[in-house]
Amino acid sequence: MKVRLFTAAGIFAVMVLISVAALNVGTSAQSGNTNSSRQRVASPSPSPTPRSQDEETLRSDEVLRVETNLTNVFFTASDKHKRFVSNLKREDLRILEDGVPQQIFTFQQNIDLPLSLAILIDTSRSEERTLPDEKVAAQAFLEAVMRPQKDEAAVVSFTGDSTLEQGLTGNVSRLRRAIERIEYVPPSGLIGGGVVVGGTPPISDSQQMLAGSTAIWDAVFTTSNEVLRDSAEHTRRAIILLTDGQDTSSQVHMSESINSAVKADALVYAIGIGDRYSYGVDEGSLRKITEATGGRAYFPRNESELRDAFAQIQRDLREQYLIAYAPSNKSRDGSYRRVTIELINPEIQKQSLKLTYRPGYFAK
């Protein structure tokens, strides 16, 4: 094909020269016409791309594919007093995938990536008493953590249904207003204490059931798939979940919500809060979903501890290490790969540090 293009160009050039000679145009004009002919041959056309360009494109794609094959693992380190440790070095640890040691390509400290956050606020009946404090703490957290032109956040409220109060935005005022308008809306006829009296009947039994239920795992699943998937590239994604952990009506299992967060590369931080006297807090479920995604669970007992929990989440998101490696298993079959980080420095091992990280990923 390249030969045919060259031959056509040659014929065209000969015809131009004959025409020029017939018109007695000077040598400079001949040169100009020849250059013009070359430009026409080199310009884009509907003709298929020459093979040499295909090969060049292939080489570029190969370079890009190597870059995207790197697996990034963020982690934090803290001592037994929950103080952050920021002096680890590359030689202090190793990383394994499915039990196989991996070659580390990158090790960096204090990675401060832009943040893409989703604040999930439980507005079910068990949160009625604590909701005002939750809203104040969530607003203060966003005002402290958000940086102009860098971070973004969304606000979602949920009971049996999930409601996107505010999509991803960097505008703190919009986020504050979105949280402010969240309120507990009792099911039709409820007057408190679990007593339901007559009154305007609900539109449907299913809506009445949803209004009085809690679908935590549905909320996490939906947020991972429909909110954080639209977040900017190369950001640190996290879900801040304010709930008592008492799920009563989710359509998806907890394991499905965990997988959705892992696939979205989102940490889940849970703040277990609610009416402990009437409903209790399911600490086990909240610990499970946070540990499986690389986040943490907090169980504040008062407003001060609630603010402390938000402050520690902020530090978690800012003071991180990054390990990047190219998996020795090159297959991209969608399977789950278990990741383990081990401290191998004997002196560091004596400190009994706690490493917090995502324990695995799906090889997409």
Side-chain angles (χ1 to χ4, degrees):
M1 185 179 297
K2 183 176 180 179
V3 173
R4 287 199 296 272
L5 285 172
F6 181 81
T7 302
I11 293 172
F12 182 79
V14 171
M15 293 175 65
V16 170
L17 290 174
I18 293 173
S19 300
V20 170
L23 295 173
N24 295 319
V25 180
T27 304
S28 61
Q30 292 180 18
S31 175
N33 287 336
T34 302
N35 289 337
S36 175
S37 173
R38 289 172 181 166
Q39 291 171 0
R40 283 192 291 271
V41 172
S43 63
S45 69
S47 302
T49 305
R51 183 175 179 180
S52 60
Q53 293 184 19
D54 287 339
E55 294 170 349
E56 189 66 30
T57 301
L58 179 60
R59 285 194 292 271
S60 298
D61 289 345
E62 286 174 346
V63 172
L64 179 60
R65 186 163 61 251
V66 169
E67 292 295 332
T68 56
N69 268 348
L70 289 178
T71 296
N72 296 328
V73 179
F74 294 89
F75 74 94
T76 59
S78 56
D79 61 21
K80 59 184 178 182
H81 300 293
K82 296 184 178 182
R83 294 175 301 198
F84 287 84
V85 176
S86 58
N87 60 351
L88 293 181
K89 299 180 176 57
R90 179 172 180 163
E91 57 269 21
D92 292 333
L93 48 82
R94 68 172 180 171
I95 188 166
L96 301 91
E97 181 176 296
D98 290 336
V100 179
Q102 304 293 311
Q103 180 183 356
I104 297 175
F105 280 81
T106 301
F107 180 83
Q108 296 181 21
Q109 297 172 306
N110 298 323
I111 299 302
D112 193 10
L113 293 177
L115 301 178
S116 293
L117 308 175
I119 310 294
L120 272 62
I121 301 178
D122 185 347
T123 59
S124 62
R125 191 183 311 171
S126 58
E127 304 296 314
E128 181 180 5
R129 296 182 182 179
T130 59
L131 185 58
D133 290 340
E134 294 175 32
K135 291 168 57 175
V136 171
Q139 289 173 322
F141 168 74
L142 287 176
E143 290 172 359
V145 77
M146 295 286 289
R147 296 163 298 180
Q149 310 301 320
K150 190 168 187 178
D151 302 318
E152 58 184 359
V155 177
V156 177
S157 64
F158 68 93
T159 52
D161 277 330
S162 298
T163 301
L164 182 62
E165 304 287 352
Q166 172 62 57
L168 286 168
T169 179
N171 189 314
V172 177
S173 296
R174 290 182 181 177
L175 294 167
R176 187 190 307 111
R177 289 194 297 269
I179 294 174
E180 183 60 37
R181 64 174 173 261
I182 292 176
E183 58 182 9
Y184 164 69
V185 179
S188 176
L190 182 69
I191 61 173
V195 178
V196 179
V197 298
T200 303
I203 297 175
S204 68
D205 290 340
S206 61
Q207 289 184 351
Q208 174 76 357
M209 181 185 69
L210 287 174
S213 65
T214 310
I216 303 171
W217 316 135
D218 286 356
V220 172
F221 182 89
T222 301
T223 300
S224 299
N225 290 329
E226 299 184 16
V227 178
L228 290 181
R229 73 176 182 181
D230 295 328
S231 62
E233 292 292 329
H234 309 297
T235 65
R236 198 72 188 105
R237 301 180 181 92
I239 293 173
I240 316 298
L241 177 61
L242 288 86
T243 180
D244 60 6
Q246 301 285 354
D247 189 289
T248 62
S249 62
S250 281
Q251 299 299 304
V252 303
H253 192 268
M254 182 200 296
S255 61
E256 295 178 81
S257 67
I258 289 173
N259 289 343
S260 67
V262 171
K263 290 177 181 178
D265 198 19
L267 307 170
V268 177
Y269 288 92
I271 297 181
I273 188 170
D275 190 340
R276 293 177 176 269
Y277 298 101
S278 301
Y279 299 95
V281 174
D282 187 349
E283 296 188 8
S285 294
L286 297 181
R287 291 187 192 278
K288 185 173 182 179
I289 192 172
T290 55
E291 291 174 0
T293 58
R296 299 194 196 192
Y298 302 87
F299 304 99
R301 293 166 295 183
N302 51 53
E303 185 180 349
S304 175
E305 290 185 0
L306 178 59
R307 289 196 301 269
D308 290 343
F310 273 115
Q312 193 164 21
I313 291 173
Q314 180 180 352
R315 293 193 63 185
D316 252 18
L317 294 172
R318 298 294 186 204
E319 301 184 12
Q320 303 176 67
Y321 295 90
L322 167 65
I323 295 178
Y325 67 94
S328 55
N329 182 353
K330 303 300 182 184
S331 176
R332 291 290 173 176
D333 54 5
S335 63
Y336 184 77
R337 310 286 176 78
R338 186 163 298 280
V339 174
T340 307
I341 301 176
E342 297 179 343
L343 295 172
I344 58 176
N345 184 329
E347 294 301 318
I348 299 294
Q349 289 176 340
K350 295 177 183 178
Q351 301 178 28
S352 300
L353 301 183
K354 177 178 174 57
L355 304 183
T356 303
Y357 56 91
R358 177 183 61 176
Y361 71 101
F362 289 90
K364 295 181 290 186

